[in-house]
């Protein structure tokens, strides 16, 4: 089973609107990372939020982390067409391993 | 910095043939990862090297798949006797040492087994 899972499976918004992707995870973590993958490319990191942080911002992006409920969210404000991508949350395997384990992803489509 | 380089970008093999995928990590990165991505399974971790040594291969199929890192500048993923279910995008990634560092991905190799 997945260590992390995003929801919803897909979202569609118009340019300028805001969108939020949610993530639930199953292990204790030291940090959670959000990645974005555009068509034909590999995933690229957007935000890393550590377990002692509740919120992290990067431009139009805002990530939150609630370790008590083992959940995180990624919000994008003032969306643009180029924000169209699959968004993943990722954590380490929680067993001393370092490899990132990714969720199933949320497809975000931004239309003009 | 050209990023993580993967070659070839596309590969078509016949069922039963061998496929070798190449990865050149970012210079100075000591950790190298391989992932496999399909529509059905999503992004699956396969294996991980640190300073060229294999650290975790818990995601590798037990048969037919092997990964090597003969030097710090490249890693290979070899699939013997390829099967149609091996068709996927194989992604290589690298990062600096340490926990919770950013992982940089290549563009992937799309393997199609016909």
């Amino acid at each position: 089973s997945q260590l992390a899972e995003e929801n919803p499976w897909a979202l569609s918004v118009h340019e300028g609107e805001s969108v939020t992707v949610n993530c639930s995870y199953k292990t204790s973590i030291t940090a959670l990372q959000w990645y974005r993958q555009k068509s034909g490319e590999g995933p690229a990191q957007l935000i890393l939020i550590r377990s002692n942080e509740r919120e992290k911002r990067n431009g139009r992006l805002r990530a939150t982390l609630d370790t008590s409920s083992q959940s995180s969210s990624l919000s994008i404000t003032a969306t643009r067409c180029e924000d169209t991508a699959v968004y993943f949350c990722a954590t380490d395997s929680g067993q001393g391993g370092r490899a990132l384990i990714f969720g199933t992803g949320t497809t975000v489509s931004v239309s003009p | 910095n050209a990023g993580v380089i993967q070659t070839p970008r596309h590969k078509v093999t016949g069922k039963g043939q061998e496929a070798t995928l190449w990865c050149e990590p970012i210079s100075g990165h000591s950790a190298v990862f391989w992932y496999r991505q399909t529509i059905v399974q999503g992004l699956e971790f396969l294996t991980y090297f640190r300073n060229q040594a294999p650290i975790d291969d818990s995601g590798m199929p037990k048969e037919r798949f092997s990964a090597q890192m003969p030097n710090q500048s490249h890693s290979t993923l070899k699939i013997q006797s390829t099967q149609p279910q091996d068709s996927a995008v194989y992604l290589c990634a690298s990062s600096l040492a340490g926990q919770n560092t950013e992982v940089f991905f290549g563009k992937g190799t799309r393997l199609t087994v016909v």
Side-chain angles (χ1 to χ4, degrees):
Chain A
S1 62
Q2 297 287 137
L3 290 179
E5 189 170 315
E6 300 85 350
N7 70 83
W9 183 73
L11 283 169
S12 293
V13 296
H14 290 101
E15 270 193 315
E17 296 178 340
S18 297
V19 66
T20 297
V21 179
N22 300 297
C23 169
S24 59
Y25 59 90
K26 296 180 180 179
T27 65
S28 62
I29 61 171
T30 55
L32 183 141
Q33 301 188 39
W34 283 95
Y35 281 75
R36 175 173 66 190
Q37 184 177 25
K38 296 186 176 183
S39 180
E41 300 179 3
Q45 190 199 61
L46 298 174
I47 289 182
L48 183 154
I49 183 165
R50 300 187 185 279
S51 58
N52 61 352
E53 298 175 309
R54 291 296 168 259
E55 179 180 298
K56 194 84 168 277
R57 293 178 184 266
N58 180 7
R60 296 181 295 111
L61 306 174
R62 173 178 172 262
T64 65
L65 181 65
D66 183 343
T67 53
S68 63
S69 64
Q70 295 190 310
S71 64
S72 176
S73 70
L74 176 72
S75 297
I76 309 172
T77 57
T79 54
R80 305 167 182 165
C81 289
E82 53 263 37
D83 294 327
T84 294
V86 180
Y87 291 79
F88 296 94
C89 61
T91 65
D92 62 37
S93 63
Q95 297 172 355
R98 264 210 63 223
L100 282 179
I101 305 300
F102 287 78
T104 50
T106 291
T107 299
V108 173
S109 300
V110 182
S111 56
Chain B
N1 185 347
V4 175
I5 299 171
Q6 291 189 249
T7 54
R9 291 295 314 281
H10 302 273
K11 187 174 182 65
V12 180
T13 64
K15 181 179 174 181
Q17 291 184 328
E18 181 177 286
T20 300
L21 313 180
W22 297 75
C23 171
E24 180 181 331
I26 293 173
S27 177
H29 283 190
S30 58
V32 174
F33 308 84
W34 284 96
Y35 289 83
R36 175 171 64 182
Q37 187 170 33
T38 61
I39 297 293
V40 175
Q41 298 295 332
L43 197 54
E44 298 176 278
F45 165 73
L46 295 177
T47 189
Y48 150 48
F49 295 86
R50 185 173 63 223
N51 295 322
Q52 300 171 231
I55 301 299
D56 180 357
D57 66 353
S58 60
M60 289 279 274
K62 298 307 177 191
E63 298 178 353
R64 304 186 295 105
F65 282 66
S66 62
Q68 308 285 336
M69 191 159 186
N71 57 60
Q72 63 185 9
S73 63
H74 90 272
S75 175
T76 58
L77 180 68
K78 184 179 293 185
I79 309 171
Q80 295 177 313
S81 185
T82 54
Q83 303 297 310
Q85 61 263 31
D86 299 331
S87 296
V89 175
Y90 290 84
L91 290 159
C92 177
S94 70
S95 75
L96 293 169
Q99 197 175 18
N100 296 320
T101 54
E102 182 177 356
V103 177
F104 294 82
F105 283 81
K107 293 182 183 296
T109 294
R110 180 175 294 279
L111 175 68
T112 303
V113 182
V114 299

